[in-house]
Amino acid sequence: MGGWVRQRQEGEIADRLVLLTHPPVITYSARTPPEELPTHGRIPLVEVDRGGQATYHGPGQLIGYLVVDLRERGPADIVRWLENGLISALASLGLGAVRRDTPPGSQSLVGVWDPGHRKVASIGMRIRGGVTSHGFALNIAPDLAAFSAFTACGLPEVAMTSLAETATAAGRPVPTEGAVRGAVAEALGAV
């Protein structure tokens, strides 16, 4: 990833979106309070150099890493673009989702939420030299119990959900990982 960031900073490559799955891991930033992390467990903990706080990556999620030059748009613009793109992708699959504004002085509500305000996608980026890295984790059908071991996104009162739960509650078929990947790629303009 670091090589692509450097290449993007130097104008050698275009913006990139990398979509992948990930082995189980709980990642956290230096700003994550220690009491929000698990004290023991089977899922490895890894400190990373991105925004946001602790989150889970693992099977059943679509992980997106963005390498995007911000010279034409600022950090807030890229986050809103990503939130709105994920919402559009989910709408194309027949699933409702929203973004939420963060009240002043509150913990960040950046991400994508179901209409009942359960979080379905977490967003955390790093910006160095005007280029982003890291990105998002979209819950398709992960083991949501993994989120009970720590405080996800610094929001102890927030329930995490998945597209599988949302689709089942709406009486719709659960979208496949391939369908979700295709909808996200299209909504974000990836080729």
Side-chain angles (χ1 to χ4, degrees):
M1 183 68 73
W4 285 346
V5 169
R6 182 196 53 75
Q7 288 174 315
R8 186 65 189 113
Q9 289 167 334
E10 295 173 8
E12 296 173 5
I13 63 170
D15 291 344
R16 292 194 173 192
L17 169 65
V18 180
L19 299 174
L20 54 106
T21 57
H22 207 288
V25 64
I26 295 170
T27 63
Y28 65 97
S29 71
R31 294 190 325 237
T32 304
E35 62 273 12
E36 293 185 0
L37 297 172
T39 55
H40 57 79
R42 59 178 174 73
I43 303 173
L45 282 171
V46 176
E47 185 173 355
V48 293
D49 60 348
R50 60 155 170 77
Q53 294 192 351
T55 196
Y56 168 75
H57 297 310
Q61 289 182 320
L62 179 63
I63 308 299
Y65 288 106
L66 293 147
V67 179
V68 176
D69 187 332
L70 295 179
R71 283 176 240 181
E72 294 182 22
R73 50 186 158 183
D77 293 336
I78 197 72
V79 169
R80 296 300 168 262
W81 168 80
L82 181 55
E83 288 173 322
N84 290 328
L86 292 173
I87 291 166
S88 175
L90 299 184
S92 76
L93 297 168
L95 301 172
V98 298
R99 61 169 301 280
R100 296 174 65 190
D101 290 323
T102 302
S106 297
Q107 179 65 24
S108 174
L109 297 178
V110 165
V112 177
W113 306 76
D114 76 0
H117 289 180
R118 296 179 305 161
K119 199 167 193 180
V120 70
S122 300
I123 296 173
M125 289 193 216
R126 174 183 181 208
I127 300 170
R128 295 292 184 271
V131 173
T132 65
S133 60
H134 296 280
F136 66 88
L138 175 61
N139 297 332
I140 300 171
D143 177 3
L144 293 172
F147 289 100
S148 65
F150 67 101
T151 302
C153 305
L155 300 165
E157 70 288 352
V158 170
M160 299 299 286
T161 192
S162 66
L163 300 184
E165 282 188 346
T166 303
T168 300
R172 302 187 61 83
V174 176
T176 65
E177 182 182 320
V180 174
R181 183 183 296 261
V184 168
E186 183 174 335
L188 297 179
V191 287

